[in-house]
């Protein structure tokens, strides 16, 4: 019959090895199955087989097991935690007199930096006005040091003033003490 497949074209299945009652055939099958999941077999499958008997080899190229310099270790720590901008801003706080000049630095100090805004406190309202006028120049100078658009704005606040609100009872919008100084 022409529709029937030719028996000679089909390969004959290999006969199963005879079953032994001692369990060695099961142990061999389990060993063959587990051999494909060992780290050495996986490395060879990826094409990175290590020479036999040499253990872990570093080679000519640097890797994580080589001694690291303190500079590279600290740089990796800063990058991992995202501290780069904070450290640069602390450097600006430390070099404030160098960046804004000795006279201006004698009358104002940076207090905080959040979301691109630098808060600077002055020791008098006159210096607060002066620094407000100098703010664009100071922001430009800080962005030259820190990178473009790091400092977006500079808020200038005056000195901490004494409060005339004493005691439990006080008025809002009161004009403070009047003729009490003389």
């Amino acid at each position: 019959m022409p529709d029937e497949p030719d028996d000679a074209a089909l390969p004959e299945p290999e006969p199963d090895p005879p079953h032994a009652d001692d369990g060695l055939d099961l142990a061999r099958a389990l060993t063959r199955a587990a051999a494909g999941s060992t780290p050495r077999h996986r490395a060879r499958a990826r094409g990175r087989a290590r020479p036999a008997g040499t253990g872990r080899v570093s080679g000519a190229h640097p890797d994580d097991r080589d001694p690291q310099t303190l500079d590279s270790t600290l740089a990796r720590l800063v990058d991992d935690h995202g501290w780069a901008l904070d450290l640069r801003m602390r450097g600006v706080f430390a070099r404030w007199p160098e960046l804004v000049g000795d006279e201006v630095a004698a009358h104002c100090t940076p207090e905080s930096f959040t979301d691109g805004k630098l808060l600077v406190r002055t020791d008098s309202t006159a210096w607060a006005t002066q620094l407000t006028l100098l703010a664009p120049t100071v922001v430009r100078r800080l962005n030259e040091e820190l990178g473009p658009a790091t400092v977006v704005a500079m808020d200038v606040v005056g000195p901490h003033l004494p409060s005339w609100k004493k005691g439990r009872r006080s008025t809002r919008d009161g004009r403070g003490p009047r003729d009490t100084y003389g």
Side-chain angles (χ1 to χ4, degrees):
M1 290 189 170
D3 293 334
E4 291 182 22
D6 188 16
D7 289 335
L10 295 177
E12 291 188 26
E14 295 181 12
D16 289 335
H19 176 67
D21 289 333
D22 57 1
L24 287 177
D25 57 341
L26 180 60
R28 285 187 191 112
L30 289 174
T31 304
R32 282 190 207 106
S37 64
T38 61
R40 175 176 232 125
H41 184 269
R42 282 187 295 225
R44 283 189 181 145
R46 285 191 305 257
R48 290 187 284 155
R50 292 193 174 118
T54 58
R56 300 181 84 181
V57 177
S58 175
H61 301 288
D63 65 5
D64 291 339
R65 292 174 285 134
D66 290 338
Q68 303 292 320
T69 62
L70 185 61
D71 181 40
S72 66
T73 304
L74 285 177
R76 189 171 46 234
L77 179 71
V78 167
D79 289 340
D80 289 347
H81 290 285
W83 295 337
L85 181 61
D86 293 337
L87 288 175
R88 288 191 315 222
M89 281 310 297
R90 293 300 166 188
V92 165
F93 286 12
R95 296 180 303 126
W96 183 252
E98 176 186 326
L99 295 172
V100 297
D102 292 331
E103 186 179 0
V104 175
H107 297 284
C108 66
T109 56
E111 284 194 352
S112 66
F113 178 76
T114 54
D115 298 330
K117 288 188 178 183
L118 178 66
L119 178 67
V120 179
R121 182 160 309 273
T122 60
D123 61 358
S124 69
T125 54
W127 272 102
T129 304
Q130 181 68 24
L131 195 60
T132 303
L133 296 174
L134 290 174
T137 306
V138 173
V139 168
R140 187 178 331 109
R141 175 73 171 113
L142 292 175
N143 283 333
E144 288 173 3
E145 288 289 320
L146 299 172
T150 302
V151 179
V152 177
M154 186 170 81
D155 293 336
V156 180
V157 292
H160 293 291
L161 299 176
S163 171
W164 298 111
K165 186 175 181 178
K166 306 238 187 303
R168 293 184 307 178
R169 296 184 179 96
S170 63
T171 62
R172 284 186 302 184
D173 302 327
R175 297 183 343 183
R178 285 282 177 233
D179 193 16
T180 57
Y181 292 113

